[in-house]
């Protein structure tokens, strides 16, 4: 299916407010008509009331009053149309930004695996802002200019049809100049937008990994890499400004001066011959001078328009990515939590399987641990269970139902997950546990924190449960952050609890608290644990040992130790003992 053009899609956003825009344009026509009436009134005063034969003051004052009235109408109308158009533009961009934000939540995680976060941020923040300039500045300027030019040429034909015909050559001439301007300017604007996106991505990455950059003394190298991007954007911006300077005000002003000189010569010659009045001469020059202001206005906004179209292409490219709708889950019943993998094979890249024929079953109330070296496929199993990716072969079921038949939201509604690197959001502690879920009361938050052993340190904080947490929770220790993320998972009361190396980065004392809490919260739930510390999974009902994407051993701790295989060696190494 052919996708609509960028222009049509932008027009579709504007079409939602068509009546508001049409109303603004009608008010604009009134404003332009009022503005263009001024020179004609002046011409009437000069020709009919400032001649030696007529010297009546009354009609002149009446016409001047009419002139002032037109100026007042033009002023009010211009304010009204500008306010309506710009308010509409802001509403259009608000809608577009929300559409992009909604869509990035529908896009599969594969996209984020290969896309820098800064580029996505740039699409939502910078590129939509550039599109705003199209609706706020260029659209208003273009429409105003078109209406003004139409009105000006109507007035010119009323004054002198033959000379007005010659003036009709000006718009096509300026259109040709604009086409040339757009052709060469777009090249540099596209590069500029791309470099801005790259710079945002690099800035985002640098801030996230600043401790690594400083620890490994990579500051100068990072600056050098950023300078390359910054310099490339600067060079292309200079080239674009050069084109703008040559083909906008400069050339329009030159042509305007030449045309005005020719008109003065034309009228001057006819005035000497007595064929034309001074009032017509004045009005024609006034209207002619007004032709070039709308043209300059359009030229001034061409860069914004090009930037907007380049940005719109990038925004719509994001919105064209296939995604799944975020569905409501109010009616989703709680599952028993029986998880089953049947001959599951999966690859992030085609031909490079990270899981091969994986089969196991985790029943309600059981704890299943996944162990193995880095890259063995542990996290991939969890990613498939959560529906972040789809298996290439095989079947994954919960309570006997294929998880591909669930919506992603229904699938995850009764799952809780705790990651190795816990993420805390900006907000207070009670929000970080409840995540604004209305079903989770303050008492439930406190109970969850108490169950995982976090209540004592939370209550010692200056504001207790209302203590503000900065982004990522950097003011708390890793163990404290982990305990809060445990409480978050428990507060949601999941049927299936997933612990992804959740005890790998905490101290022994905190680990002891979590282990004690887990014995309570795991009862009645299916719990899957990815563990590096084998000492934390000794009580697991089933331990799966993975190696290069395959389950090479399975059983409980005693069975695997008795087997004397890979698990036995890993356990002995962690205890610091030599395997026999």
């Amino acid at each position: 299916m052919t996708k609509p053009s960028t222009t049509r899609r932008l027009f579709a956003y504007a079409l939602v407010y068509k009546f508001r825009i049409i109303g603004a344009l009608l008010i604009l026509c009134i404003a332009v008509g009022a503005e263009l009436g001024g020179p004609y009134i002046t011409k009437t005063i000069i020709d009919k009331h400032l001649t030696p034969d007529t010297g009546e003051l009354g009609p002149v004052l009446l016409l001047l009053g009419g002139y002032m009235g037109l100026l007042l109408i033009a002023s009010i109308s211009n304010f009204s149309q500008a306010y309506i158009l710009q308010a509409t533009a802001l509403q259009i961009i608000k809608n577009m930004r929300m559409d992009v934000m909604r869509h990035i939540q529908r896009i599969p995680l594969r996209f984020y695996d290969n896309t820098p976060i800064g580029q996505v941020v740039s699409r939502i923040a910078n590129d939509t802002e550039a599109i705003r300039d199209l609706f706020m500045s260029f659209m208003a300027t273009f429409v105003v200019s078109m209406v003004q030019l139409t009105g000006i040429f109507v007035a010119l034909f009323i004054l002198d049809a033959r000379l007005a015909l010659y003036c009709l050559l000006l718009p096509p001439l300026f259109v040709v100049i604009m086409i040339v301007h757009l052709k060469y300017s777009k090249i540099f604007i596209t590069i500029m937008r791309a470099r801005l996106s790259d710079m945002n991505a690099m800035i985002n990455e640098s801030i996230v990994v600043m401790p690594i950059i400083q620890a490994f003394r990579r500051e100068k190298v990072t600056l050098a890499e950023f300078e390359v991007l910054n310099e490339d954007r600067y060079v292309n911006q200079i080239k674009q400004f050069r084109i703008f300077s040559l083909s906008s005000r400069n050339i329009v002003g030159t042509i305007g001066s030449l045309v005005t000189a020719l008109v003065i010569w034309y009228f001057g010659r006819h005035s000497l011959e007595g064929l034309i009045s001074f009032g017509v001469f004045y009005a024609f020059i006034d209207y002619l001078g007004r032709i070039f202001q709308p043209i300059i206005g359009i030229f001034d906004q061409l860069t914004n328009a090009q930037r907007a179209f380049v940005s719109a292409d990038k925004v719509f490219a994001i919105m064209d990515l296939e995604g799944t709708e975020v569905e409501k889950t109010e009616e989703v019943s709680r599952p028993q939590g029986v998880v089953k993998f049947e001959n599951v094979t999966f690859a992030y890249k085609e031909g490079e399987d990270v899981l091969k024929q994986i089969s196991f079953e985790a029943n309600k109330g059981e704890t299943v641990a996944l162990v193995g070296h880095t890259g063995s496929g542990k996290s991939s199993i969890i990613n498939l269970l959560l529906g972040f990716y789809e298996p290439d072969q095989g079947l994954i079921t919960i309570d006997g139902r294929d998880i591909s038949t669930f919506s992603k939201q229904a699938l995850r509604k009764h799952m809780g997950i705790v990651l190795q690197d816990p993420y805390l959001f900006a907000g207070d502690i009670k929000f970080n546990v409840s995540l604004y879920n209305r079903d989770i009361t303050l008492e439930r938050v406190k109970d969850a924190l108490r169950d995982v052993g976090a209540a004592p340190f939370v209550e010692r904080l200056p504001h207790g449960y209302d203590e503000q947490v900065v982004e990522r929770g950097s003011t708390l220790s890793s163990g404290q952050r982990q305990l809060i993320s445990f409480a978050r998972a428990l507060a949601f009361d999941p049927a299936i609890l997933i612990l992804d190396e959740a005890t790998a980065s905490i101290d022994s004392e905190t680990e002891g608290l979590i282990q004690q809490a887990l014995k309570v919260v795991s009862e009645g739930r299916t719990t899957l644990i990815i563990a590096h510390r084998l000492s934390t999974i000794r009580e697991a009902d089933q331990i799966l040992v993975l190696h290069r994407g395959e389950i090479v051993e399975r059983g409980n701790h005693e069975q695997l130790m008795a087997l004397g295989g890979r698990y036995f060696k890993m356990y002995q190494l962690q205890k610091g003992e030599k395997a026999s």
Side-chain angles (χ1 to χ4, degrees), residues 52 111 169 368 394 435 450 464 474 522 540 545 556 579:
F111 171 74
L169 295 174
V368 175
L435 297 183
R450 194 177 300 115
S474 57
S522 296
V545 183
N556 60 30

Side-chain angles (χ1 to χ4, degrees), residues 4 8 35 60 108 115 177 186 189 195-196 206 215 268 290 341 358 361 366 392 406 430 449 453 498 529 554 557 580:
R8 288 181 62 185
E35 288 175 346
V60 173
T115 306
I177 296 170
K186 184 178 181 180
I189 289 176
R195 291 299 163 268
L196 179 62
S206 298
R290 297 184 184 215
F341 277 59
I358 298 295
E361 184 172 349
E366 285 187 350
D392 299 320
F406 291 89
K430 65 177 184 292
L449 288 165
I498 298 167
I529 302 176
R554 67 178 74 207
H557 175 75
S580 56

Side-chain angles (χ1 to χ4, degrees), residues 419-455:
L419 301 172
Q420 178 180 359
D421 183 18
Y423 191 95
L424 299 187
F425 298 88
D428 58 33
I429 286 179
K430 65 177 184 292
F431 156 71
N432 268 284
V433 175
S434 67
L435 297 183
Y436 288 136
N437 187 321
R438 294 179 181 178
D439 296 332
I440 300 176
T441 63
L442 178 59
E443 285 306 312
R444 190 162 157 186
V445 168
K446 291 180 178 180
D447 288 342
L449 288 165
R450 194 177 300 115
D451 287 342
V452 300

Side-chain angles (χ1 to χ4, degrees), residues 125-176:
N126 298 338
D127 288 327
T128 54
E129 198 68 15
I131 299 171
R132 178 184 66 85
D133 291 337
L134 173 70
F135 287 109
M136 283 189 68
S137 303
F138 181 76
M139 184 177 75
T141 301
F142 186 82
V143 172
V144 169
S145 298
M146 289 299 103
V147 174
Q148 285 178 333
L149 286 173
T150 302
I152 289 169
F153 274 101
V154 168
L156 290 178
F157 271 93
I158 291 173
L159 292 171
D160 191 302
R162 187 171 64 172
L163 192 55
L165 281 172
Y166 288 114
C167 292
L168 280 177
L169 295 174
L170 290 174
L173 174 62
F174 289 128
V175 168
V176 171

Side-chain angles (χ1 to χ4, degrees), residues 258-300:
L258 291 173
V259 171
T260 303
L262 289 172
V263 169
I264 291 173
W265 171 81
Y266 173 86
F267 274 113
R269 182 166 58 86
H270 284 285
S271 179
L272 290 173
E273 296 171 0
L275 301 175
I276 196 166
S277 68
F278 183 74
V280 171
F281 172 61
Y282 164 80
F284 202 100
I285 292 295
D286 190 310
Y287 283 126
L288 185 64
R290 297 184 184 215
I291 286 179
F292 303 105
Q293 290 308 312
I295 299 294
I296 289 174
I298 292 174
F299 265 113
D300 285 348

Side-chain angles (χ1 to χ4, degrees), residues 138-321:
F138 181 76
M139 184 177 75
T141 301
F142 186 82
V143 172
V144 169
S145 298
M146 289 299 103
V147 174
Q148 285 178 333
L149 286 173
T150 302
I152 289 169
F153 274 101
V154 168
L156 290 178
F157 271 93
I158 291 173
L159 292 171
D160 191 302
R162 187 171 64 172
L163 192 55
L165 281 172
Y166 288 114
C167 292
L168 280 177
L169 295 174
L170 290 174
L173 174 62
F174 289 128
V175 168
V176 171
I177 296 170
M178 286 181 189
I179 291 172
V180 174
H181 171 96
L182 291 171
K183 178 181 177 181
Y184 291 100
S185 186
K186 184 178 181 180
I187 298 170
F188 304 121
I189 289 176
T190 302
I191 296 172
M192 285 159 52
R193 299 304 298 178
R195 291 299 163 268
L196 179 62
S197 179
D198 293 340
M199 288 162 65
N200 282 336
M202 186 173 180
I203 291 168
N204 184 83
E205 182 184 67
S206 298
I207 292 172
V208 171
V209 299
M210 188 59 72
I212 303 297
I213 291 174
Q214 294 183 358
F216 287 90
R217 305 179 307 283
R218 296 279 299 175
E219 295 94 337
K220 290 185 178 179
V221 176
T222 302
L223 281 173
E225 291 174 355
F226 185 81
E227 187 175 11
V228 171
L229 297 175
N230 200 21
E231 179 68 18
D232 193 27
R233 188 172 193 274
Y234 167 76
V235 168
N236 283 279
Q237 199 161 24
I238 291 294
K239 292 177 180 177
Q240 193 274 327
F241 279 145
R242 193 177 298 148
I243 291 174
F244 176 77
S245 298
L246 290 172
S247 60
S248 58
R249 288 177 174 268
N250 188 21
I251 198 165
V252 173
T254 302
I255 293 173
S257 299
L258 291 173
V259 171
T260 303
L262 289 172
V263 169
I264 291 173
W265 171 81
Y266 173 86
F267 274 113
R269 182 166 58 86
H270 284 285
S271 179
L272 290 173
E273 296 171 0
L275 301 175
I276 196 166
S277 68
F278 183 74
V280 171
F281 172 61
Y282 164 80
F284 202 100
I285 292 295
D286 190 310
Y287 283 126
L288 185 64
R290 297 184 184 215
I291 286 179
F292 303 105
Q293 290 308 312
I295 299 294
I296 289 174
I298 292 174
F299 265 113
D300 285 348
Q301 294 300 328
L302 277 180
T303 300
N304 285 341
Q306 280 191 297
R307 188 183 299 119
F309 274 99
V310 171
S311 296
D313 286 338
K314 295 181 181 297
V315 170
F316 290 136
I318 292 276
M319 295 177 70
D320 287 337
L321 294 171

